[in-house]
Amino acid sequence: MNAIEVRALSKSYPGFTISNISFSLPEGCIMGLVGENGAGKSTLIRLIMGASRASSGFVRVLNTEVTDDKAFTKVRDDIGVVLDEAHFPTSLNARHLGRIMAGTYSRWDQAVYDGYLKRLDLPEKKRVQDFSRGMRMKLALACALSHDAKLLVLDEPTGGLDPLVRDEILDILEEFTRREDRSVLISSHIVSDLEKLCDYIAFLHKGELLLFEEKDRLMEEYAMAHITEAELADIPEEAVKGVRRGKYGVEALVERQLVNPGIPMEKPTLEDIIVFFAKGVRE
Amino acid sequence: MKALIRKDIYMMLTQFRVLFLVMVIFSAIPGGLLMPFTFLYAMMLTSVSLVSADEQSQWDSLALMLPYSRGQLVTVKYIMGWLGIIAALALSLASQALYAVAGISELDSRLPALLCLYAAIALVMQAVMLPVNFRFGYARGRIVTILFAGIIGGAVGASMGDGDGFYTLLKVTSRIPIPVYLLLAAAICAATIPLSTAGYKKRVEK
């Protein structure tokens, strides 16, 4: 079963279009949605959550079409959401939010929530407006994780946070996915965070899905070749996904299977793959 | 829905505490001079201001992804407005009764009817303001809010000018039993919920 299924999804705004996006996130998997600022990640998440209407195509989440308002409102009970700025009324505190969420989610577990507040060192009575960004994101995560969600949707949860808080958040997400029926969609432009966590990587660039692949397969399929111009000329054109020319030679992201094994190749990082795909050829 | 009402009550008690206190003071002014304002103020505070606060904190973006229907997100603001009007009615009645008991002022026999008239006007105002605010958002909707507040302010001012404006209106409405025009105003107000929901959907789901 797929946790999320997106088919031929398009959405147009004046000056920006998301076009023809298709992918499926199998249940129990973590998918990282990568893309530069303005690539369309938040728009795609809004479409997946039924907060915005697509121009064409369809989205099915936990086996329900998001355009089916009544059915999908119920499905949202099984989804935990964390948006980039937490978006809680700033005059409220963590205790208020706990009570509100208790009336919102049918399987809200106050003990789990209290446990997260304690673990994440979040004060119960301090107003959200007095929280740092890191604290707000942790509070949002506590709310999203305390109702036994089957799917977690996170939009830039680690953006602008210090490495310690980011690590703490990633640890919690790893714990969440230990149960096999739980899935996560996480968007970020911090590729290293996703490299640690994800099973699938989707790369969105200027509203288009350039890449959707299992992370491990992606790492096996592509390689970084540090070569000369002459060696580059010997590689079939379709094997070269991106080139960076420097003083000391050429760096190329290549499709491993299409390249002569005699050419020296290294395992790429996810960041290499993303950057080279985005830029194509760069001098 | 309970969770949304709870959230708005928490916001009233935290973010709008001072403004709520102003409403209590308005309703307690002897002679009931500011009573018409009290009802309008109470309605705006408990519905229109909450729409604006949700927009400013971007709670409305998050709420769209939580298990609330669009109808619930809209209806809760109507309910809060009605609770505000009921609070204004109760506070005004209680304070004027208290003044009468203390011998500060006499209790006008027309007071309950007058208060119901103010409540009906506040309900009709809500029926105008909320659909506009839900459709265009608070930033653009407030132009209409200010315009209508000005009209009502002008009407109140005019009534104070000849001293008997609302009593004249009361004479006209007295031909209709209080529950009827109050229910009519409530029905008009409630009838705009689908309109507000449609406007809200159009704005947020774009």
Side-chain angles (χ1 to χ4, degrees), chain B residues 95-148:
Chain B
S95 62
Q96 299 310 313
L98 213 67
Y99 290 138
V101 171
I104 296 167
S105 61
E106 281 183 24
L107 197 59
D108 191 326
S109 61
R110 294 172 297 179
L111 185 69
L114 199 60
L115 292 179
C116 289
L117 177 67
Y118 297 154
I121 291 170
L123 283 168
V124 173
M125 293 299 292
Q126 190 184 23
V128 175
M129 286 179 180
L130 280 183
V132 174
N133 278 273
F134 276 117
R135 174 64 186 89
F136 299 106
Y138 177 73
R140 286 159 71 190
R142 71 181 164 190
I143 297 165
V144 176
T145 303
I146 292 167
L147 188 72
F148 274 87

Side-chain angles (χ1 to χ4, degrees), chain A residues 227-236 240 242-243 245 250 252 254 263:
Chain A
I227 45 180
T228 61
E229 282 286 354
E231 284 170 320
L232 179 66
D234 285 343
I235 298 176
V240 181
V243 175
R245 289 185 170 86
V250 177
V254 294
I263 288 180

Side-chain angles (χ1 to χ4, degrees), chain B residues 78 82 123 127 184-195:
Chain B
Y78 278 83
W82 298 337
L123 283 168
L184 191 68
I188 290 170
C189 187
T192 64
I193 293 176
L195 183 68

Side-chain angles (χ1 to χ4, degrees), chain B residues 9 14 30 32 120 142 159:
Chain B
I9 289 174
T14 52
R142 71 181 164 190
S159 82

Side-chain angles (χ1 to χ4, degrees), chain A residues 127-159:
Chain A
R127 287 179 175 211
V128 172
Q129 66 196 24
D130 299 323
F131 276 24
S132 65
R133 180 176 155 75
M135 288 165 83
R136 284 184 197 202
M137 296 317 290
K138 286 197 263 184
L139 179 61
L141 202 59
C143 287
L145 291 171
S146 301
H147 62 96
D148 192 24
K150 291 179 186 159
L151 171 67
L152 210 54
V153 176
L154 307 110
D155 189 7
E156 300 277 1
T158 54

Side-chain angles (χ1 to χ4, degrees), chain A residues 109-128:
Chain A
D109 190 331
Q110 191 61 37
V112 171
Y113 179 67
D114 291 340
Y116 274 120
L117 293 186
K118 208 170 175 184
R119 176 178 169 184
L120 298 169
D121 204 18
L122 293 169
E124 267 193 270
K125 291 182 181 173
K126 195 174 182 177
R127 287 179 175 211
V128 172

Side-chain angles (χ1 to χ4, degrees), chain A residues 46 50 52 91 99 104-105, chain B residues 6 10 14 68 70 204 206:
Chain A
R46 278 176 58 80
S52 190
S91 62
R99 287 181 190 147
T104 300
Y105 292 108
Chain B
R6 185 177 287 168
Y10 285 149
T14 52
Y68 311 125
R70 309 296 192 258
V204 297
K206 66 182 179 203

